[in-house]
């Protein structure tokens, strides 16, 4: 099994490049595009193929996204409601 990538290895953002939009490192592919494609029902494998990206980079972004949502939900009072 290969080692997971860190966010620092995966993403770059520079106010002087791509208007500060976070992109996959070594590319001009915005990170947000991964989420858009997945939301539109396009398979991760297709995204990786179309943009020639490393699966570990996409997995790092998805892990970070999951972590951000879970952290935000724990802090948001409306998410504390029990079913």
């Amino acid at each position: 099994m290969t080692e997971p990538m860190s966010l620092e290895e995966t993403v770059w953002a520079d106010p002087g490049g791509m208007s500060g939009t976070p992109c996959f490192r070594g590319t001009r592919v915005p990170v947000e595009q991964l989420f858009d494609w997945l939301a539109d029902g396009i398979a991760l494998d297709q995204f990786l193929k179309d943009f020639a990206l490393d699966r570990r980079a996409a997995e790092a972004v998805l892990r970070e996204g999951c972590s951000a949502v879970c952290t935000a939900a724990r802090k948001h009072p409306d998410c504390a409601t029990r079913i």
Side-chain angles (χ1 to χ4, degrees):
M1 187 170 171
T2 59
E3 287 290 319
M5 293 176 79
S6 68
L7 191 62
E8 294 80 15
E9 293 174 294
T10 305
V11 176
W12 70 274
D14 177 1
M18 293 289 293
S19 301
T21 300
C23 293
F24 286 94
R25 192 166 294 284
T27 76
R28 294 174 60 85
V29 178
V31 167
E32 185 176 7
Q33 195 159 353
L34 169 61
F35 292 98
D36 290 344
W37 279 45
L38 293 175
D40 288 344
I42 299 169
L44 176 60
D45 286 334
Q46 187 65 49
F47 180 82
L48 297 174
K49 180 182 173 189
D50 286 358
F51 294 102
L53 292 171
D54 186 324
R55 175 175 292 278
R56 296 176 311 139
E59 289 170 351
V61 166
L62 292 171
R63 273 193 311 276
E64 194 68 27
C66 177
S67 177
V69 168
C70 290
T71 297
R74 286 186 195 103
K75 293 177 182 179
H76 196 287
D78 292 338
C79 292
T81 307
R82 300 218 183 259
I83 297 175

